[in-house]
Amino acid sequence: MKHLVMGTAGHVDHGKTALVKWLTGVDTDRLKEEKERGITIELGFASLKLPGGRILGMVDVPGHERFVRNMVAGAAGIDLVALVIAADEGIMPQTREHLQICTLLGIRKGLVALTKTDLVEKEWLDLIREEIREFLRGTFLDGSPVVPVSALTGAGMPDLLANIERVAEGVEAESDVGLFRLPVDRVFTMKGFGTVVTGTLMSGAVAAGEEIEICPLGVRSRVRGIQVHNQAVEKAEAGQRTAINLQGMEREMIERGYVLARPGTLFPSSRLDCVYRHLSGASRKLKSRCLIRLHTGTGEVMARVILIEREELDPGGEGYAQLVLETPLAVVAGDRFVIRSYSPVTTVGGGVIVDPLPAKHKRSSTGVLDEFRRLEGGGEAERVAAVLARSGMGGSNGPSLIVRTGIREKELGKILEGMFARKEAVLLDREELKVLSRPVYDGLQEAILRELQEYHGRFPLKEGLSREELRTMLGLGDGMGQKIFGMALRELEKKEAILAEKESIRLRGHQVRLKAGMEDLRGRLSQIYREAGLAPPTAREILERFSDRNREMASLLQVMIREGELVRISEELNFHRDVLESLRDDYRKLLLREGEATPARFKELTGLSRKFIIPLMEYFDATKLTMRTGDRRILRERQGKDGLR
C-alpha cells in the first residue's frame, strides 16, 4: 500500500489546526508566538489513523498571507489535500491562492472540510456549500466531497474521516524515480540525539547506518536513526513523513530547502529548463528576465525567468523558460514548482522542470525549441536522446541521465541498450554507464575529416597533422575527451577514411604534391646540400638565403627529410643522404681498421670543425653504427662479436 501524506490548505483562522487536533489529538501549533497570536506560523506535523487502519502523514500549513512561503514548503510532497473553508466566512484570498498552489504542484485528489458549522444557520450553510461547488468547478477538486464539520462539537467528523479514507484509496501511485530524496522542511536538536531533520520522503528509501549527502552543500553524514509516525524504524520509504537523526552534523549547517540524497546522485544546478504556466488571474504579464521567487520542494530561492520564445507572457499563457537561480538547487526532471512575484509578493504561476542541468540557450533557436518539445512531450527514449544531444562531447553518465530524465535506473538501462543496438548512442564506459549521443559522435568524425581536409589544403607539403594538435583544434580535453577522440580515430581508420601513423594523422587519399615551380626549388635545394658535402648550411641559413620564399622552403625541407633525401641529425643540421652514406662507409672502414675512433681521429678523417664532428658522431651512435665508451667510439657490430676490449 502506498504511503500517503495529506496536507491542509486554506485561509488564516479557518480552523485548520483545530481540525488536525480533533482528528489526530496533536496540537501542531508548537511555537510560543503561535499560541499567543492564535495563528499558525510554521509547519505542523501529525499522523492520522483512518477507520480501516491506514495511517496518513498530516501536514498543517499556515494560512496567513505572510506565511505562504511556509505553506508552499509544506505542500511539497503531499498526495491529497483537505481544503479548509470556514462556514462563517466562505471563500477568502488565501483559499484561492492555496488552491492555485496545490494545482501548480500537481496535487490531484482531495476534499473540502467546511468548518465552524456551529456558527451558522442551516440556510446559510446550504448557500456556502453551493458557492464552494461553483468555486471548485473546473479545478482538480471539482466534484470532490464537501463535508460540514465542527471541531468544537465534533459534528461531521466521522463523515469527514470516512471521506478522507475514500479519497485516499483513489490516490494513484506516481512513478518513483528510485533516488532517495528527502527535502528538509524542519531542522531541530534533540537532547541526547543531536541534529534531526524532517520531511516527506519524495522517492526511494533510506535505512539506518547509510551514508547520505546534504545538497547543495555537498557535505556528507550518516543516518544515525529514523522515525516514521513517531516510531523508530530501520527503513523509511517513499511517501512517508520521516525524521532522520544525522550523525556529526551541527544544527546551523542545515536549513529548510536542503535535500538529503545518496552521495553522487543529485547535482546542484543554477539553471533549470521548464514548462511555465502564468496564472489566468495574474494581475500583469510575465516579462522575460524579471526577478521572481521560485519555490520547489521545500526550498525558496530568488531567480530570473528567461522566456525562450517571446519577451512576455500574458495571464493564462504557457511557454518554455529557463530559470536562472541566485542559489543552486538539487532537483529532478518532473519536479513541479511555484513562482511568486518579487513585489508585491503573490503567486503568479508555476510548472514542471524538464531539464535540471541545462546549458545557457540561444533564445528562439529552432534546435532549442525542438529539444524543449521532446523533453516535455516525448517518450522516454526521446527524452534520453534529447538529453544526450544536449550533453554534447562531454556525454552523460547513469546518475545524471536519471536526474535529467526522471527515469528509473532499470528502465533507463533498457532504453540505452536499445539505443546502442540501433546505433543511436555510443557506450564509452560500461562501469560508469558513460554514454555519448551517436549524432554527436558522428559529428566529431565529420569534424575530424573536415579539419584534415582544410589542413591538407593549407599545407599541401606536410604529410599530416599531429594527433595532439588535431585534438586541441577540436576542443577535446584530457581524460574522457582523449578516449572519445581515440575511438573516433580508430573507427575512421576501419572505414579507411584516414591513416594514423605514429603521431601523424592524414586523410587516406592525401599525397604530398609540389606546386608548380616547387620541383625546381627542390632541385636547387638538393644541389646545395650535395655540393656542401659534410659542411652543409644550417636550416636557418637556408631560410635566410631564400627569405622571399620562407614558408615554401620550410615545407620543402620537411618533405625532403620525410622522404629521406635529407637526413636530420640535429635541430639545425641536415645532410644529403648520399653524402652521409659515403661518410658512413669511410667511418666504418676506419673503425674496422683501427678498432676505435676519438673526436680528434674523426676530425682527421673528415676535416670538419667541432660544430659538425660532435653531432655527426652522436648521429652514428644513435643509428647503431657505433657505441661510445668514454671519449672513444667502437664499432657496434664488432662489439657484438668480440665483446668489449
Side-chain angles (χ1 to χ4, degrees):
M1 184 182 295
K2 175 177 168 56
H3 302 288
L4 298 179
V5 175
M6 183 173 78
T8 62
H11 198 74
V12 63
D13 202 29
H14 275 207
K16 295 185 294 298
T17 302
L19 185 71
V20 172
K21 185 176 181 180
W22 201 100
L23 291 171
T24 67
V26 176
D27 184 356
T28 54
D29 279 351
R30 63 185 187 280
L31 302 179
K32 181 181 177 181
E33 188 180 358
E34 291 177 317
K35 301 291 187 186
E36 291 174 349
R37 297 173 62 180
I39 63 170
T40 299
I41 297 172
E42 263 296 353
L43 300 173
F45 307 101
S47 57
L48 170 64
K49 187 172 183 178
L50 297 174
R54 186 173 192 171
I55 298 178
L56 299 184
M58 287 204 71
V59 180
D60 183 30
V61 305
H64 196 285
E65 61 179 340
R66 287 176 56 194
F67 308 115
V68 171
R69 59 181 294 185
N70 295 345
M71 179 272 167
V72 180
I78 71 173
D79 303 284
L80 64 158
V81 64
L83 182 62
V84 179
I85 303 176
D88 61 335
E89 288 191 338
I91 297 159
M92 298 292 283
Q94 263 56 63
T95 312
R96 298 178 185 278
E97 186 170 18
H98 283 203
L99 182 61
Q100 289 173 339
I101 290 168
C102 290
T103 303
L104 293 169
L105 291 176
I107 301 166
R108 293 292 174 262
K109 296 288 182 178
L111 48 71
V112 176
L114 184 55
T115 58
K116 301 188 179 183
T117 55
D118 54 288
L119 298 179
V120 300
E121 301 294 330
K122 183 180 183 303
E123 292 78 8
W124 178 259
L125 188 62
D126 291 339
L127 286 172
I128 290 294
R129 291 179 74 170
E130 187 56 38
E131 181 186 358
I132 290 171
R133 289 192 179 97
E134 184 62 32
F135 166 62
L136 297 178
R137 204 175 307 282
T139 73
F140 74 92
L141 288 179
D142 192 352
S144 296
V146 178
V147 186
V149 296
S150 170
L152 182 66
T153 67
M157 287 300 183
D159 188 26
L160 178 63
L161 277 170
N163 276 282
I164 290 173
E165 190 159 49
R166 279 194 292 272
V167 172
E169 288 171 356
V171 175
E172 296 179 5
E174 294 190 9
S175 59
D176 182 352
V177 177
L179 298 177
F180 160 59
R181 286 199 295 158
L182 188 139
V184 175
D185 53 34
R186 187 179 170 212
V187 190
F188 56 94
T189 302
M190 285 187 67
K191 189 174 182 180
F193 291 91
T195 301
V196 176
V197 301
T198 69
T200 299
L201 214 163
M202 289 185 69
S203 66
V206 65
E210 283 195 64
E211 186 181 38
I212 58 95
E213 184 175 5
I214 301 161
C215 302
L217 280 183
V219 175
R220 296 188 181 188
S221 180
R222 196 165 292 278
V223 177
R224 187 175 176 184
I226 304 173
Q227 281 195 359
V228 174
H229 302 309
N230 297 316
Q231 298 294 318
V233 297
E234 284 299 310
K235 184 178 181 181
E237 298 175 338
Q240 292 183 320
R241 283 293 309 170
T242 306
I244 295 181
N245 181 200
L246 294 175
Q247 182 177 305
M249 295 297 299
E250 297 295 329
R251 161 68 184 86
E252 293 73 20
M253 295 179 67
I254 310 173
E255 59 187 57
R256 176 183 292 167
Y258 287 178
V259 180
L260 270 55
R262 284 193 178 83
T265 60
L266 288 186
F267 310 97
S269 171
S270 295
R271 292 181 183 271
L272 306 173
D273 277 354
C274 65
V275 180
Y276 172 76
R277 181 167 66 88
H278 202 43
L279 289 176
S280 56
S283 61
R284 64 183 76 171
K285 296 178 180 181
L286 181 83
K287 294 186 177 181
S288 189
R289 299 181 184 84
C290 71
L291 189 64
I292 53 91
R293 302 171 190 270
L294 170 69
H295 299 262
T296 185
T298 57
E300 177 193 18
V301 299
M302 301 303 295
R304 290 197 181 275
V305 181
I306 310 297
L307 297 174
I308 300 299
E309 302 171 85
R310 50 184 72 101
E311 286 298 325
E312 55 187 25
L313 198 61
D314 293 327
E318 187 173 289
Y320 300 128
Q322 183 167 94
L323 308 176
V324 183
L325 318 183
E326 290 187 358
T327 306
L329 288 175
V331 298
V332 173
D335 284 359
R336 291 182 172 272
F337 63 90
V338 171
I339 281 181
R340 307 191 80 219
S341 54
Y342 177 67
S343 182
V345 183
T346 182
T347 303
V348 296
V352 61
I353 295 163
V354 295
D355 185 0
L357 298 169
K360 185 178 179 180
H361 300 308
K362 291 182 179 179
R363 296 175 64 223
S364 300
S365 163
T366 304
V368 170
L369 292 175
D370 180 60
E371 286 174 358
F372 267 97
R373 294 185 189 103
R374 293 164 71 193
L375 291 169
E376 177 196 12
E380 290 185 336
E382 268 193 286
R383 300 207 307 274
V384 173
V387 168
L388 288 176
R390 284 183 157 204
S391 301
M393 288 308 305
S396 193
N397 60 18
S400 67
L401 281 172
I402 292 172
V403 166
R404 297 183 73 176
T405 62
I407 301 172
R408 290 180 69 95
E409 184 177 9
K410 188 175 181 180
E411 284 71 23
L412 177 63
K414 292 177 182 177
I415 291 167
L416 289 173
E417 289 300 331
M419 295 180 75
F420 298 150
R422 295 188 300 272
K423 294 190 175 180
E424 295 172 357
V426 178
L427 179 62
L428 301 175
D429 189 308
R430 185 167 291 279
E431 187 175 337
E432 293 185 10
L433 196 58
K434 187 76 173 180
V435 184
L436 187 68
S437 165
R438 184 76 208 195
V440 170
Y441 184 66
D442 290 343
L444 170 62
Q445 293 188 354
E446 291 167 7
I448 289 172
L449 297 177
R450 191 165 54 248
E451 290 289 355
L452 288 174
Q453 186 70 49
E454 184 179 333
Y455 185 82
H456 292 330
R458 287 188 292 125
F459 304 104
L461 300 182
K462 291 190 176 182
E463 188 74 13
L465 181 58
S466 82
R467 185 184 295 262
E468 283 303 299
E469 188 177 354
L470 177 57
R471 184 167 69 88
T472 302
M473 290 165 67
L474 294 167
L476 297 173
D478 296 334
M480 194 55 67
Q482 282 182 315
K483 184 170 185 176
I484 296 167
F485 182 57
M487 286 177 62
L489 291 182
R490 288 192 293 274
E491 194 165 308
L492 286 170
E493 279 193 280
K494 286 181 181 178
K495 294 176 182 176
E496 298 187 344
I498 67 169
L499 279 174
E501 298 169 332
K502 294 183 179 179
E503 290 303 309
S504 178
I505 312 293
R506 64 182 173 90
L507 294 176
R508 181 166 284 274
H510 172 68
Q511 290 182 340
V512 174
R513 293 184 177 88
L514 298 180
K515 297 179 181 178
M518 290 290 283
E519 285 291 354
D520 290 341
L521 198 57
R522 176 173 180 162
R524 290 173 61 190
L525 196 57
S526 180
Q527 185 178 357
I528 289 172
Y529 277 99
R530 279 182 180 277
E531 292 176 352
L534 293 175
T538 63
R540 185 180 299 176
E541 289 168 342
I542 288 290
L543 295 178
E544 288 174 356
R545 188 180 303 186
F546 295 89
S547 58
D548 58 333
R549 307 186 72 172
N550 259 356
R551 186 171 173 178
E552 291 170 310
M553 292 307 297
S555 296
L556 264 179
L557 284 171
Q558 293 297 322
V559 170
M560 293 172 73
I561 291 167
R562 189 167 56 246
E563 293 182 357
E565 187 173 357
L566 296 181
V567 178
R568 171 170 289 179
I569 67 166
S570 71
E571 193 66 31
E572 279 291 312
L573 286 177
N574 302 307
F575 288 78
H576 196 281
R577 175 183 56 211
D578 296 343
V579 172
L580 208 55
E581 281 301 311
S582 178
L583 174 59
R584 186 184 188 91
D585 289 341
D586 293 342
Y587 190 24
R588 184 173 180 276
K589 289 173 184 176
L590 170 68
L591 291 166
L592 284 171
R593 185 173 62 249
E594 300 182 11
E596 63 181 30
T598 61
R601 187 70 183 90
F602 193 82
K603 180 177 181 180
E604 292 175 11
L605 174 68
T606 60
L608 297 173
S609 67
R610 188 175 181 82
K611 171 184 173 182
F612 298 104
I613 289 172
I614 299 305
L616 281 168
M617 294 186 78
E618 289 176 349
Y619 166 75
F620 287 124
D621 289 342
T623 55
K624 311 297 185 185
L625 174 67
T626 56
M627 175 184 289
R628 181 173 181 172
T629 60
D631 64 347
R632 299 174 300 129
R633 264 46 172 213
I634 60 174
L635 195 62
R636 186 176 287 268
E637 62 184 56
R638 173 172 289 187
Q639 185 275 332
K641 292 177 182 180
D642 305 333
L644 289 173
R645 296 185 179 183

